[in-house]
Amino acid sequence: MKLYYSPGACSLSAHIALHEAGLAHEAIPAPTKTHQLPDGTDYYTINPLGYVPMLELDGGERLREGPAIVQYIADQAPEKKLAPANGTLARYQLQSWLNFIGTEVHKGFSPLFNPATPDEVKTSTKEKLANRLKWVDGELAGKQYLMGDAFSVADGYLFTVTNWAPRVGVDIAGLHNLNAYRARIGARPAVQAAMKAEGLI
Ligand SMILES: N[C@@H](CCC(=O)N[C@@H](CS)C(=O)NCC(=O)O)C(=O)O
């Protein structure tokens, strides 16, 4: 399996999932700034949309979209219990988290990375994001992980996108449950390994 990633981008979530699942893989940098692979290949020839993550299976099939990719990875190693069984209510609850993280948090950050975003839009974006994260903080009260007692691929995704908060001036210092949770996730050996593989630590 090949994972196309950009260091520290949302693709870190898929990278974490691969390490948590213990699946053999090749991680290929496709930096968001250059869209060029180390061998000079134009990444748009791999993913016409130009974004990471992209998972390429051993048969050559390609899978896009972070929430789909991490569920695929989880399902390749069911014994690791990175996602509840398909068809169960818990699986839909996981998908609910993945969709929330993708649309409300991950994409909530996007305008803040764009230098062309006007300041007043940045201010309202930060306020909305801070509200969403405050709600997450409340949801984490008394919980180890988003799904309760067990780590899931949603945790790797939330960890990944909340890593961006200090870089774009979103203040999460007062969100104590979220910060304790982030420390817990960040200390996991698989998370450390994925971050090391991306040169982040
Ligand atoms: N809908 C995609 C969005 C992925 C995405 O936003 N990727 C960003 C990095 S976090 C990216 O590659 N941006 C560079 C680009 O769009 O060219 C997903 O959920 O996987």
Side-chain angles (χ1 to χ4, degrees):
M1 230 178 272
K2 287 181 186 165
L3 173 70
Y4 295 92
Y5 77 98
S6 183
C10 53
S11 43
L12 176 63
S13 162
H15 215 162
I16 290 172
L18 283 168
H19 280 273
E20 290 281 355
L23 296 177
H25 62 275
E26 185 186 351
I28 302 175
T32 52
K33 287 211 168 76
T34 62
H35 300 99
Q36 205 177 60
L37 306 188
D39 68 1
T41 302
D42 178 357
Y43 181 55
Y44 283 100
T45 64
I46 312 270
N47 179 4
L49 297 172
Y51 54 64
V52 290
M54 161 80 91
L55 191 68
E56 190 170 298
L57 309 186
D58 294 342
E61 307 93 330
R62 288 173 178 160
L63 188 60
R64 262 196 309 271
E65 303 303 323
I69 290 173
V70 294
Q71 290 184 74
Y72 177 82
I73 293 169
D75 288 343
Q76 303 316 298
E79 72 286 0
K80 296 287 167 56
K81 299 193 185 323
L82 299 172
N86 270 298
T88 60
L89 175 61
R91 182 59 170 251
Y92 295 108
Q93 284 162 338
L94 173 79
Q95 289 169 347
S96 168
W97 273 118
L98 290 170
N99 199 61
F100 172 82
I101 298 164
T103 58
E104 302 293 333
V105 187
H106 173 181
K107 286 296 158 182
F109 272 102
S110 300
L112 302 177
F113 285 107
N114 183 353
T117 304
D119 281 349
E120 62 269 28
V121 176
K122 280 196 176 156
T123 303
S124 60
T125 300
K126 281 183 197 176
E127 274 170 21
K128 191 168 179 186
L129 203 43
N131 280 338
R132 296 289 188 260
L133 292 174
K134 194 171 166 205
W135 177 78
V136 172
D137 188 66
E139 286 294 300
L140 284 169
K143 273 198 220 165
Q144 292 286 303
Y145 304 103
L146 289 173
M147 293 288 292
D149 293 334
F151 175 89
S152 75
V153 287
D155 297 303
Y157 193 16
L158 183 60
F159 173 79
T160 295
V161 296
T162 52
N163 274 343
W164 304 335
R167 276 170 54 193
V168 292
V170 173
D171 184 11
I172 58 168
L175 303 181
H176 300 300
N177 298 325
L178 180 62
N179 285 314
Y181 162 89
R182 283 183 37 74
R184 208 157 38 242
I185 306 297
R188 293 174 70 84
V191 175
Q192 293 273 311
M195 290 181 78
K196 244 178 225 161
E198 297 198 1
L200 302 173
I201 48 174

